[in-house]
Amino acid sequence: MGSPIDLGKMFGVQVRVDLTVLLVAAIFVVMGVGENPTLRNVLDEATYVVLLFLSIFLHEMGHAAGARLFGISTLNVTLTFFGGYAQLGKQPQRAIEDIVISFAGPATNLAIAGLLYVWLTSATSAGLANHSWGILWQVMYANLFLGLLNLLPGFPLDGGHIARAVLAMFLPLTTARLIVGYIGVAVGFLFIGLDLTGGFGFGLLIGMLLILVASQEIQAARAGRF
Ligand SMILES: [Zn+2]
């Protein structure tokens, strides 16, 4: 995959992009344009893909902002083929830290979706809507999807971190890790199933990745490793 390219710092966080993003972006544009490769469609799809990756970037910056609340620095935010990740200076120690930091990412997407929804509906009723607003509706739905998907309670999704922290208040940590690990595997199979039935492009790739990471977590929990 090579090493990610540094784009400089934003709010004290190093921003990096993996070149695989370009590959995924190109596939998205080709898939989105379909059988109508007019210049306008290509530009529309490219605009959508840029805004989609911007939404993923803001999701990760949401985590970084959540971490800062507890004095935890973020070493970098990196965009890559499966989305993005924020590398924190240290792991959250207390459950409340883990919950707030994990929730801050999806919450950012839900906030963007909410703001876009209010803006677009009021602009539409005022008769201001035009062609390019269709792209913004797509971005609204993408953010809604990103927020809800990441809140599913399976590891390694953000919702899995939240569920693990909550479960660990009542159960031994190993049991909590196993439960969210198994839910992560189930969510992975759900994505693959949705992809195969045509409902969710990229579900196969994301689903396999989830199953892989969740299985590693299950093995680590069983062995008492972190
Ligand atoms: Zn996240």
Side-chain angles (χ1 to χ4, degrees):
M1 303 272 166
S3 49
I5 296 169
D6 283 325
L7 295 186
K9 284 198 169 188
M10 191 180 279
F11 301 111
V13 177
Q14 186 72 44
V15 180
R16 309 187 309 172
V17 173
D18 194 295
L19 280 182
T20 51
V21 167
L22 294 178
L23 181 69
V24 173
I27 294 172
F28 265 126
V29 172
V30 169
M31 277 172 39
V33 169
E35 290 171 4
N36 282 313
T38 60
L39 180 62
R40 170 153 221 176
N41 282 345
V42 172
L43 287 178
D44 281 356
E45 284 303 325
T47 306
Y48 170 68
V49 170
V50 168
L51 292 175
L52 181 67
F53 275 102
L54 181 66
S55 304
I56 293 170
F57 171 70
L58 291 174
H59 171 112
E60 301 305 335
M61 289 303 278
H63 287 309
R68 188 167 292 182
L69 286 179
F70 302 105
I72 299 175
S73 63
T74 300
L75 302 179
N76 60 66
V77 157
T78 305
L79 290 180
T80 182
F81 69 98
F82 59 81
Y85 60 88
Q87 205 174 0
L88 302 185
K90 69 182 176 79
Q91 288 306 308
Q93 297 301 314
R94 292 179 297 146
I96 186 67
E97 295 178 0
D98 205 2
I99 292 169
V100 170
I101 296 169
S102 300
F103 185 67
T108 304
N109 293 122
L110 294 177
I112 293 170
L115 288 173
L116 273 176
Y117 181 82
V118 170
W119 183 39
L120 288 168
T121 44
S122 58
T124 304
S125 56
L128 292 172
N130 62 37
H131 164 81
S132 52
W133 292 66
I135 299 169
L136 293 177
W137 275 110
Q138 268 184 290
V139 174
M140 193 284 288
Y141 282 114
N143 273 279
L144 186 63
F145 181 74
L146 278 174
L148 296 178
L149 180 144
N150 278 290
L151 282 175
L152 291 174
F155 192 87
L157 299 171
D158 294 322
H161 284 264
I162 296 171
R164 183 180 62 187
V166 172
L167 286 173
M169 293 174 188
F170 310 99
L171 299 168
L173 179 60
T174 303
T175 313
R177 289 174 74 192
L178 285 174
I179 291 172
V180 295
Y182 283 119
I183 297 174
V185 171
V187 171
F189 277 111
L190 176 73
F191 287 175
I192 291 173
L194 287 176
D195 193 345
L196 296 181
T197 52
F200 174 27
F202 280 86
L204 189 68
L205 181 69
I206 301 175
M208 288 197 303
L209 207 64
L210 274 181
I211 292 169
L212 183 76
V213 179
S215 309
Q216 284 170 348
E217 171 69 1
I218 291 168
Q219 282 177 356
R222 280 211 186 108
R225 282 183 280 116
F226 279 91

